[in-house]
């Protein structure tokens, strides 16, 4: 009862944070966004929330790392997912807040922690140009320039012949190497 919509099975007492490795960079450089949960509870039995970034940022699958210790007092430590993100165009990109919900058995209630909204400033790169948003998924498209040399056909006339290598056995190289050994 009262379970949040984004609850993924976390039970315990946790802290939550989203950390960027850089907040200002050049276009085509990469930065990391780390989603980290630490505390005491069932750390290896739930999924971390996913980061949501604008479509013009290229996001790679996260690398998950766990630092968990199990003792008689329970399981404690940290779990994190590290996303590599590459901006293609210059601009200011907001990264919306990320929410993490868990059940706290001490207070017998659900709690939701929120990260701050973050801003990444991308400078010194190409501009996105005129955005074309006629796609149904809302993604941006930039038209590509087309010229006569865009597509060229290559005709190859090759005649393959086998390569004949001289035999190494009993050759002068063989006897020279044999005498040196």
């Amino acid at each position: 009862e009262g379970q949040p919509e984004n609850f993924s099975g976390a039970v315990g007492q946790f802290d939550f944070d989203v950390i960027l490795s850089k907040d200002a960079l050049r276009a085509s450089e990469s930065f990391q966004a780390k989603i980290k949960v630490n505390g005491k509870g069932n750390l290896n039995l739930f999924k971390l929330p996913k980061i949501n970034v604008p479509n013009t940022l290229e996001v790679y699958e996260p690398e998950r790392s766990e630092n968990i210790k199990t003792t008689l007092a329970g399981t404690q430590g940290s779990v994190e997912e590290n996303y590599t993100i590459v901006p293609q165009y210059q601009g200011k990109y907001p990264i919306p807040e990320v929410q993490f919900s868990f059940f706290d058995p001490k207070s017998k209630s659900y709690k939701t922690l929120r990260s701050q909204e973050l801003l990444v400033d991308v400078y010194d790169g190409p501009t996105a140009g005129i955005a074309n948003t006629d796609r149904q998924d809302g993604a941006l498209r930039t038209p590509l320039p087309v010229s006569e040399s865009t597509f060229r056909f290559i005709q190859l006339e090759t005649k393959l012949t086998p390569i004949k290598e001289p035999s190494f056995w009993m050759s002068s190289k063989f006897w020279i190497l044999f005498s040196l050994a």
Side-chain angles (χ1 to χ4, degrees):
E1 188 175 310
Q3 177 178 320
E5 202 173 292
N6 63 347
F7 178 71
S8 65
V11 177
Q13 295 172 324
F14 302 107
D15 292 323
F16 170 72
D17 204 4
V18 176
I19 305 161
L20 298 180
S21 64
K22 299 177 187 176
D23 59 358
L25 66 152
R26 289 185 171 96
S28 77
E29 287 183 349
S30 67
F31 70 97
Q32 280 70 39
K34 183 188 301 183
I35 296 180
K36 184 174 183 175
V37 173
N38 58 11
K40 190 174 181 181
N42 64 344
L43 286 162
N44 50 357
L45 298 177
F46 60 85
K47 292 181 182 178
L48 290 175
K50 299 211 178 290
I51 194 165
N52 186 17
V53 298
N55 292 339
T56 53
L57 298 178
E58 190 174 342
V59 181
Y60 294 94
E61 286 295 316
E63 295 177 21
R64 185 178 175 101
S65 62
E66 299 177 351
N67 182 11
I68 300 172
K69 295 178 186 173
T70 304
T71 63
L72 293 175
T75 304
Q76 59 187 11
S78 65
V79 177
E80 58 187 54
E81 286 185 349
N82 200 4
Y83 292 84
T84 299
I85 303 171
V86 181
Q88 299 300 319
Y89 304 105
Q90 63 179 319
K92 294 188 184 297
Y93 296 98
I95 298 178
E97 73 175 20
V98 180
Q99 296 182 2
F100 173 69
S101 296
F102 64 95
F103 181 77
D104 184 355
K106 285 193 176 181
S107 66
K108 296 183 182 178
S109 64
Y110 289 94
K111 294 186 178 181
T112 300
L113 302 176
R114 292 173 173 77
S115 70
Q116 297 178 11
E117 181 175 303
L118 303 168
L119 186 68
V120 177
D121 183 16
V122 179
Y123 59 90
D124 194 26
T127 57
I130 301 170
N132 184 357
T133 57
D134 61 351
R135 290 177 55 174
Q136 290 184 1
D137 62 358
L140 297 177
R141 262 195 312 179
T142 304
L144 296 174
V146 178
S147 67
E148 285 183 24
S149 63
T150 302
F151 301 103
R152 293 186 187 242
F153 296 96
I154 300 172
Q155 293 180 346
L156 294 176
E157 288 187 31
T158 58
K159 295 178 183 171
L160 301 175
T161 58
I163 299 173
K164 295 181 182 177
E165 291 186 27
S167 175
F168 177 72
W169 180 251
M170 299 300 234
S171 68
S172 58
K173 288 182 185 177
F174 171 80
W175 288 114
I176 292 171
L177 291 174
F178 182 73
S179 65
L180 291 175

